[in-house]
Amino acid sequence: MEGKIPVTILTGYLGSGKTTLLNRLLADTHGRKLAVIINEIGSVNIDGKLVMNVEEGMMELTNGCLCCTVREDLVQSLRQLAQAREAGDVQFEALVIETTGLANPGGIIQTFFAVPDVQAAYTIDGVVTVVDGYHLDKHIEKGAEAEEQIAYADVVLLNKADLLTGKQQQELAAYIQRLNPTAEVIPTIQANLDTGRLLQLQTLLTKDRLEARGLGGASHLSGVTSFVIREERPLDLQMVYELMGAIVQELGDYLYRYKGILYIAELEKRVVFQGVHSMFAAAYDREWREGEVRASELVFIGQGISKEWFAEHLRQCAAE
Ligand SMILES: Nc1nc2c(ncn2[C@@H]2O[C@H](COP(=O)(O)OP(=O)(O)OP(=O)(O)O)[C@@H](O)[C@H]2O)c(=O)[nH]1
């Protein structure tokens, strides 16, 4: 992943506080210069006007939602930004994409896997979802988007905490955690938090993070299930690719997000494996540390998927 531009995807329902957070990211002195892509439905880009302090490296996508399919205008913007950076016309170290409140971030994430030159230039650092704690129940009633945005998140900001009692905050945090056990949930007021950390999530699961959340079992809520599979025997990467290729042909629509570390036979490096719906990719990670227990750990988040079924199939990819 050396040299790639890290990308943070900012999602959240309408009015949850995404622009508030973006302004903080731009104003804070976390030491990283950001480029921003904003997606707004409709031809009048109000959000663009609300974002302060960006002179260069800012792009606005209007007329439509960055949703569901690979978007050619997003691809064009990403290419232009990468080229301008390469040529020295703009300088930035990281890219933030703010999506519309009704976007399912899956389409955007897929763009980074599906388009080879985009994949070569960028790497997704993390997905940050801002939740309007005060209105979450209403947003969930309205459709699947609010839950899907949570399901994709690496970090969830439980925003508008000033409008919640301590008990409500706890209940909402537990609810979010059941939807997405691997996400970190942070209560915020006006999206106020250490923004520097948000830009360095490196999105990956670690064993500690999983254990801290008591993972391993399955959780079910509104048809969205998430579970972690662990396999201690070394795997054959080719077999994992073939298996996942076959699985996503059948189940791609139901798999919102899967990610984790693979322990591959005869390889000293960990392999990061992650995907969204039917797009997935593997990349070399750091070397296994001395004394570190080597194992594959993958989290799956999707609709109506079975932990046993996935575990059984992954077991068949053992190299020996
Ligand atoms: N009470 C309260 N209001 C907040 C908080 N955070 C943001 N707001 C307000 O909520 C409103 C929406 O915030 P934005 O940051 O524009 O939300 P957004 O997600 O960008 O909105 P859209 O682009 O329309 O989807 C604004 O009036 C904010 O001032 C909070 O923690 N508490």
Side-chain angles (χ1 to χ4, degrees):
M1 290 182 219
E2 280 293 293
K4 290 192 185 189
I5 302 166
V7 181
T8 303
I9 296 171
L10 211 61
T11 79
Y13 211 79
L14 296 167
S16 55
K18 296 181 295 297
T19 309
T20 308
L21 175 62
L22 185 57
N23 278 322
R24 278 193 195 283
L25 285 169
L26 292 167
D28 283 359
T29 51
H30 42 68
R32 306 187 97 194
K33 202 159 163 27
L34 300 180
V36 177
I37 293 180
I38 291 181
N39 170 221
E40 191 60 13
I41 299 178
S43 54
V44 183
N45 192 338
I46 296 165
D47 264 3
K49 296 202 186 80
L50 293 177
V51 175
M52 301 166 290
N53 294 334
V54 192
E55 284 141 28
E56 53 186 26
M58 164 118 164
M59 299 202 164
E60 296 172 0
L61 305 176
T62 53
N63 294 318
C65 172
L66 275 182
C67 202
C68 309
T69 51
V70 169
R71 276 275 304 265
E72 201 47 41
D73 54 353
L74 174 63
V75 172
Q76 290 306 337
S77 298
L78 291 170
R79 283 185 181 139
Q80 282 169 23
L81 265 182
Q83 281 162 9
R85 185 175 182 255
E86 190 80 32
D89 297 338
V90 290
Q91 277 146 19
F92 60 93
E93 287 133 273
L95 170 66
V96 177
I97 301 181
E98 182 190 348
T99 66
T100 70
L102 289 176
N104 172 336
I108 301 170
I109 299 170
Q110 283 197 29
T111 304
F112 289 89
F113 290 116
V115 184
D117 60 322
V118 170
Q119 196 181 11
Y122 295 90
T123 175
I124 295 181
D125 180 71
V127 178
V128 176
T129 298
V130 185
V131 163
D132 178 339
Y134 191 67
H135 294 113
L136 182 61
D137 50 349
K138 289 200 180 56
H139 293 164
I140 283 171
E141 270 170 30
K142 285 191 191 133
E145 290 85 4
E147 281 190 335
E148 282 173 357
Q149 290 167 351
I150 291 171
Y152 282 107
D154 295 297
V155 171
V156 176
L157 267 56
L158 178 51
N159 196 36
K160 309 202 181 178
D162 53 324
L163 306 177
L164 304 170
T165 64
K167 185 160 176 278
Q168 284 171 326
Q169 230 182 81
Q170 276 177 6
E171 285 169 1
L172 285 168
Y175 174 80
I176 291 166
Q177 206 78 81
R178 284 200 301 278
L179 272 179
N180 181 345
T182 64
E184 183 179 359
V185 183
I186 308 175
T188 54
I189 297 173
Q190 299 287 348
N192 192 1
L193 78 165
D194 172 4
T195 51
R197 204 163 64 80
L198 280 192
L199 298 174
Q200 311 217 342
L201 296 174
Q202 295 175 330
T203 218
L204 296 171
L205 290 167
T206 62
K207 190 159 167 285
D208 293 349
R209 219 174 126 189
L210 295 178
E211 280 176 356
R213 301 213 151 70
L215 275 171
S219 74
H220 296 264
L221 204 68
S222 307
V224 178
T225 303
S226 55
F227 49 79
V228 177
I229 295 177
R230 185 177 158 89
E231 174 59 55
E232 303 210 342
R233 287 179 300 165
L235 302 177
D236 180 311
L237 188 56
Q238 182 66 29
M239 285 168 81
V240 175
Y241 255 80
E242 282 168 15
L243 168 71
M244 285 309 300
I247 287 178
V248 300
Q249 276 201 359
E250 292 291 320
L251 297 178
D253 285 354
Y254 305 99
L255 280 174
Y256 294 159
R257 188 93 161 98
Y258 39 105
K259 53 189 175 176
I261 299 291
L262 294 177
Y263 168 31
I264 300 298
E266 292 166 29
L267 201 64
E268 280 311 306
K269 287 186 170 174
R270 312 194 313 172
V271 170
V272 171
F273 183 83
Q274 60 162 320
V276 175
H277 293 304
S278 49
M279 306 282 175
F280 57 83
Y284 293 122
D285 190 42
R286 65 165 170 80
E287 289 193 359
W288 292 101
R289 300 210 168 95
E290 193 133 333
E292 183 176 17
V293 178
R294 299 187 183 194
S296 299
E297 275 182 337
L298 291 173
V299 64
F300 289 85
I301 301 173
Q303 204 159 13
I305 52 177
S306 147
K307 177 175 176 170
E308 290 68 33
W309 191 87
F310 276 82
E312 173 55 32
H313 282 78
L314 193 68
R315 219 170 290 138
Q316 290 170 10
C317 297
E320 52 213 51

